[in-house]
C-alpha cells in the first residue's frame, strides 16, 4: 500500500509508519480464495488469532480493508501493559472468580506472550521489556 492510496482513507497514516521498518507487501486479494478460517481485520486481534490457528495447521486468510496494523494496533502508544482497565479485584467481582481470574491471568501474561512471539518469529523491533510500575497511594500520615 503506498502513500497515494493512504490519502483516500478516512484516517491519516499513523506516526509509526515514519519510524518503523517498512511493512511487507500485502497485495489486494484477487479472484476466489478458499480457507479453513477467514478472519476480518488485521490488527493485534485478527493477526494473533490467525497466527495461533496457523500454528494448529489451519489454512487461514486475513481480510484487511486497508493494511495490517492500520487500525488501533498501528496507532497506539506502544506500551505493552500487563493489566486491564479495572483492577483485578473489580474484574473478579464483575465476572466471577473463575472467569475474572482467567482474565486477570491472561492480562498478566500478555507482555510475556507479546515478547515471546517477537523472539519466536525473529521479528525486528525496537521495544524493550523492562518491567511495569503500578503506583499505589495511601493516606498521608
Ligand atoms: C490512541 C490509542 C492508544 C492506545 N495505546 C495503547 C497502548 O499503549 N498499549 C496497549 O496495550 N493498547 C493501547 N491501545 C489499545 C490497542 O491499540 C487496541 O486495544 C488494539 O489495537 C485493538 O486491536 P484490534 O485488532 O482489536 O483492532 P484494530 O487494531 O483496530 O484492528 C481492526 C482492523 O480491522 C480492519 N477492519 C475493520 N473493518 C473491516 C472490514 N469490514 N473488512 C476488513 N477489515 C476491516 C481495520 O482496518 C483494522 O486494521 C490504544 C488505542 C488507541 C486508539
Amino acid at each position: 500500500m503506498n502513500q497515494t492510496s493512504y490519502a483516500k482513507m478516512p484516517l491519516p497514516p499513523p506516526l509509526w509508519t515514519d519510524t518503523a521498518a517498512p511493512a511487507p507487501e500485502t497485495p489486494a486479494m484477487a479472484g476466489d480464495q478458499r480457507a479453513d478460517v477467514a478472519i476480518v481485520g488485521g490488527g493485534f486481534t485478527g493477526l494473533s488469532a490467525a497466527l495461533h490457528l496457523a500454528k494448529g495447521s489451519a489454512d487461514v486468510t486475513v481480510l484487511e480493508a486497508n493494511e495490517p496494523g492500520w487500525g488501533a494496533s498501528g496507532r497506539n502508544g506502544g506500551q505493552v501493559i500487563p493489566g486491564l482497565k479495572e483492577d483485578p479485584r473489580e474484574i473478579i467481582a464483575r465476572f466471577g472468580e473463575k472467569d475474572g481470574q482467567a482474565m486477570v491471568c491472561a492480562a498478566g501474561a500478555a507482555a510475556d506472550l507479546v515478547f515471546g512471539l517477537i523472539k519466536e518469529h525473529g521479528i525486528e523491533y525496537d521495544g524493550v521489556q523492562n518491567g511495569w510500575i503500578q503506583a499505589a497511594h495511601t493516606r498521608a500520615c
Side-chain angles (χ1 to χ4, degrees):
M1 180 107 2
N2 60 35
Q3 291 296 319
T4 311
S5 49
Y6 257 135
K8 295 176 191 151
M9 296 176 191
L11 285 171
L15 169 71
W16 300 120
T17 55
D18 288 341
T19 56
E25 283 294 312
T26 48
M29 192 175 86
D32 294 338
Q33 302 248 345
R34 294 190 70 83
D36 296 331
V37 184
I39 293 174
V40 179
F44 293 151
T45 308
L47 293 177
S48 178
L51 184 64
H52 287 89
L53 284 163
K55 272 185 179 175
S57 306
D59 176 20
V60 187
T61 296
V62 177
L63 301 166
E64 167 55 53
N66 297 298
E67 71 169 295
W70 186 88
S73 301
R75 298 168 195 280
N76 67 33
Q79 300 167 66
V80 187
I81 301 168
L84 297 165
K85 190 175 168 193
E86 276 108 19
D87 285 339
R89 199 173 20 198
E90 292 164 55
I91 291 169
I92 290 166
R94 193 160 148 206
F95 295 98
E97 179 64 32
K98 185 167 164 277
D99 291 346
Q101 194 62 56
M103 289 167 72
V104 169
C105 287
D112 285 341
L113 174 70
V114 169
F115 286 94
L117 287 173
I118 288 167
K119 278 203 192 97
E120 183 183 343
H121 296 282
I123 296 169
E124 194 186 331
Y125 78 117
D126 295 324
V128 285
Q129 184 179 21
N130 59 3
W132 161 253
I133 295 172
Q134 172 99 37
H137 69 86
T138 59
R139 289 180 195 283
C141 299

